[in-house]
Amino acid sequence: MSDTPLYLNPDLDLNKRLQDLLGRMTIREKISQLWHDAPGIPRLGIAAYNSWSEGLHGVARNGRATVFPQAIGMAATWNPDLIQRVADVISTEARAKYHAALKRNGKTDIYQGLNLWSPNINIFRDPRWGRGQETWGEDPYLTGTLGSAFVRGLQGDDPTHLKTAACAKHYAVHSGPEKLRHGFDAQASLKDLHETYLPAFKALVQDAKVEAVMGAYNRVNGDPACAHPYLLGKVLRESWGFQGHVVSDCWAISDFDGPHSYTPNPTESAARALKEGCDLECGCRYTHLLEAHEQGLITEEDLDRALTRVYTTRFKLGMFDPPERVPYASISPDVVGSKEHADLAYEAAVESVVLLRNKNNLLPIREDIRSMFILGPTATSVEVLLGNYYGMNGKLTTLLEGLIGRIPEGVRTEYRTATHVLHETEAHTSWIFKEAAKTDVVIACMGITPHMEGEEGESIDSAENGDRTRIELPEVQLNALRQLSQAGARTVLVLTGGSAVALEEVAELVDAIVFVWYSGQEGGRAVADVLFGDRAPAGKLPVTFPKRTEDLPDFQNYGMAGRTYRYSEVEPLFPFGHGLTYGQVELSDLQVPEGLQEDQSLQISLQVSNPGPHDITEVVQVYVRHTEAPFLVPLQQLVGFQKVTVPAGSSSTLGFEIAAEQLKAINEDGEAIWLQGPLELTVGTCSPGQRGLDLGATSPLTARIAR
């Protein structure tokens, strides 16, 4: 008879293996495994394991890795297939680095594990929030669709083992202000919860089977998110059927007896979090669980429930199986930063570029130009490639390097910084703008940087604990553009950033604007290829660009009234879903049913034609509006989209099936209701509204469907 413990037998039922292992642990050992930095248990052959690792847009904070565009940039691709392939590469590199760390050290340190605490699927409700760059934008459906693709890529498709364990964060109602996050009580109605703040989490739990959910720092309607009876118990576990584990944001449970004043001491903080469903703590309060157990505040059953969830993930990651039984255990470190992965980073960067404005079709830049001037504070910046939560790579290509590598030989080219990103300097620079204006085209590389937005404590320039107080382009940069305009320059503005920038005056000073986000290691090459027409821009805004800061509601108000394209009645400068390309498709022959029965999905089709001489890649977007709702509903609601390439001179037929759930409206009690009365449908290349048409969007198709 074999002496192998049951928990090490990969042929047994997982539950039997778990129960066998838990039965061998002492109370102290069980508690220690609920810490993010879990010590080893040598007598059981368990290595020390740190659960804190990051994979937001590449393996982060662990040396060399492929650096993809920041999450908000990937959101601008509107391409779920691409996002899944990116996440698959991230998990491949995480696997390679994990096994290399184990081989070298016999354990994993922080950022070396397989629990990747990504994606961040909080709704980017306000452009002042510094961490909005980590999100997938302002729309719940887009966020849920792209976030689910990311999770599938991270976790893999093996029926038994996870490639890595993804984590949906920060649950819930969390999107600034950063300086208040440790003590803030976000007040959100049941309607806003279930219409805006929770749908993406629901999609990741039910559709993508995300393995972990991270609780936020803040309170929600009085209770801390990491010990929230309604959010963790009733919604996440009971209603959605979540089977994975819940982890706290780092040191969030310490806030219970700190800024929240929710519990009287650390012991009760730990007990409350565990009892309400937080299984794993990132922080230090769970070191008090032994005291909580001795005081009768928690039971061993409470510990076993949490440990079963945490260790289910570790078993699914293959940590207790022979390497030959784990399909991902043999991934070589040679794949990290490989050419194949770099090529995918390039594709993602190209697809993330959003052409906001193109006066007189200045772009693409003509091959017959004779002179060019490149200027601006972000042209040589590595930081604007990286964003935050980033890895590093020896082949980071700045905007200047990308442009110089692409400019045809024989084109006279000069470069000057010309202006600081934020602060005025004493240098005399007015001559630079006059000289620049003498060339055929000026490429002005400007925008915001990670020094100006980010997580609490990360940003150093003009940021309030990571958040911006104003969203306009800094005055020093705006003044440089004024001088270029006065000198008569033909200017292409290449803007970096992780969130919307108010560009009302800027749009009148330049001829073309491309927004390139924080574009990753291949950003310079990708942007240059788009500017010269080797690749056409195909990105779409995942957030609204307001005209001015004053158009925004109170930052601390979590009500959705007046926010995002779904509820704001203030005309934006650049609307959600906007993005131009080199050419324009035509939409026609929209086919819709005469009526819909309750809980029936909606099937539609249309023709997409390209009358021009070049292939076009376009995102066709479907929006609905409930025209006779008896309660407040969104002005428009994205319910479907497809990214399609239409060859020159040809047409394609697109079909959409919109799930019945997407056609319901959320009432004041947070319930999804099938309404009677007409449903207004709009299919276009931008969110509905006159502003999109004024900017060059294709004329949309509309229909009214009876219910």
Side-chain angles (χ1 to χ4, degrees), residues 405-480:
R406 175 57 184 81
I407 294 170
E409 196 57 60
V411 176
R412 180 173 61 81
T413 305
E414 292 189 61
Y415 161 71
R416 296 287 190 280
T417 302
T419 175
H420 189 272
V421 69
L422 188 63
H423 304 296
E424 294 283 358
T425 66
E426 296 181 1
H428 175 61
T429 58
S430 59
W431 67 271
I432 294 177
F433 306 113
K434 294 175 182 177
E435 287 299 310
K438 296 176 183 178
T439 64
D440 291 339
V441 63
V442 177
I443 309 296
C445 301
M446 298 184 179
I448 57 177
T449 76
H451 293 155
M452 300 161 64
E453 60 176 344
E455 192 171 0
E456 176 194 31
E458 286 187 339
S459 302
I460 57 176
D461 289 336
S462 185
E464 193 164 293
N465 290 82
D467 299 324
R468 289 183 294 160
T469 55
R470 296 195 62 78
I471 65 170
E472 279 72 20
L473 195 67
E475 184 66 21
V476 64
Q477 297 184 52
L478 184 55
N479 186 53

Side-chain angles (χ1 to χ4, degrees), residues 69 73 349 352-354 384 399 494-497 514-520 523 527:
S352 73
V353 174
V354 182
V384 299
L399 296 172
V494 177
L495 278 175
T496 61
V514 291
F515 205 86
V516 302
W517 316 98
Y518 299 135
S519 52
V527 170

Side-chain angles (χ1 to χ4, degrees), residues 104-337:
R104 177 181 291 269
N105 304 315
K107 67 181 184 71
T108 57
D109 203 346
I110 187 172
Y111 307 132
Q112 295 181 325
L114 296 177
N115 292 62
L116 299 185
W117 289 352
S118 303
N120 180 343
I121 57 168
N122 291 130
I123 294 300
F124 197 0
R125 67 184 179 93
D126 192 300
R128 288 168 288 200
W129 185 38
R131 295 191 74 179
Q133 61 176 290
E134 303 173 26
T135 76
W136 301 86
E138 69 183 40
D139 181 76
Y141 178 76
L142 181 67
T143 296
T145 301
L146 299 180
S148 291
F150 194 82
V151 168
R152 293 187 187 100
L154 288 186
Q155 297 191 166
D157 58 4
D158 186 79
T160 304
H161 292 96
L162 294 169
K163 195 174 184 184
T164 59
C167 177
K169 66 182 188 185
H170 310 82
Y171 186 73
V173 197
H174 178 78
S175 52
E178 283 293 290
K179 69 176 182 178
L180 303 178
R181 68 184 187 175
H182 295 286
F184 189 69
D185 185 11
Q187 294 293 310
S189 67
L190 286 173
K191 177 179 177 61
D192 283 341
L193 273 175
H194 290 276
E195 185 178 73
T196 298
Y197 294 113
L198 298 183
F201 285 97
K202 182 179 181 181
L204 266 63
V205 167
Q206 295 192 329
D207 300 337
K209 309 300 180 188
V210 70
E211 187 66 17
V213 169
M214 177 181 284
Y217 286 112
N218 53 279
R219 281 172 288 153
V220 181
N221 299 334
D223 291 309
C226 290
H228 205 288
Y230 180 74
L231 290 175
L232 295 181
K234 184 171 181 57
V235 176
L236 185 64
R237 294 289 181 188
E238 294 178 24
S239 179
W240 298 349
F242 178 59
Q243 298 297 308
H245 70 269
V246 173
V247 58
S248 77
D249 207 340
C250 295
W251 283 267
I253 296 174
S254 298
D255 292 339
F256 289 14
D257 54 277
H260 289 314
S261 298
Y262 188 73
T263 52
N265 55 59
T267 301
E268 293 200 30
S269 295
R272 180 67 64 90
L274 186 74
K275 295 284 282 188
E276 295 295 349
C278 184
D279 307 304
L280 178 69
E281 188 204 14
C282 180
C284 60
R285 283 299 182 260
Y286 275 14
T287 59
H288 295 272
L289 284 177
L290 184 60
E291 300 164 28
H293 182 261
E294 291 171 346
Q295 294 175 23
L297 298 176
I298 62 170
T299 65
E300 186 168 5
E301 183 181 358
D302 294 324
L303 294 171
D304 285 350
R305 181 183 62 249
L307 190 56
T308 295
R309 293 168 178 166
V310 170
Y311 258 69
T312 293
T313 300
R314 292 182 64 172
F315 270 89
K316 289 163 72 174
L317 287 167
M319 295 180 182
F320 298 91
D321 291 346
E324 62 271 15
R325 297 289 292 270
V326 183
Y328 311 113
S330 60
I331 296 174
S332 168
D334 294 341
V335 303
V336 177

Side-chain angles (χ1 to χ4, degrees), residues 59 86-96 114 116 152-156 163-164 331:
V59 178
V86 166
D88 180 62
V89 164
I90 295 171
S91 61
T92 293
E93 295 195 355
R95 268 283 171 181
L114 296 177
L116 299 185
R152 293 187 187 100
L154 288 186
Q155 297 191 166
K163 195 174 184 184
T164 59
I331 296 174

Side-chain angles (χ1 to χ4, degrees), residues 561-623:
R563 294 193 182 279
T564 76
Y565 81 96
R566 296 162 64 240
Y567 276 115
S568 176
E569 297 191 53
V570 178
E571 183 180 72
L573 186 64
F574 298 114
F576 175 83
H578 170 65
L580 305 174
T581 189
Y582 302 150
Q584 190 174 52
V585 297
E586 296 176 353
L587 307 180
S588 62
D589 195 25
L590 177 62
Q591 301 292 317
V592 301
E594 292 184 3
L596 281 177
Q597 300 299 315
E598 185 167 349
D599 292 332
Q600 179 184 357
S601 64
L602 171 62
Q603 297 190 24
I604 67 172
S605 66
L606 70 150
Q607 288 288 113
V608 184
S609 302
N610 175 11
H614 303 291
D615 297 351
I616 294 178
T617 298
E618 183 57 89
V619 180
V620 179
Q621 306 163 36
V622 182
Y623 296 83

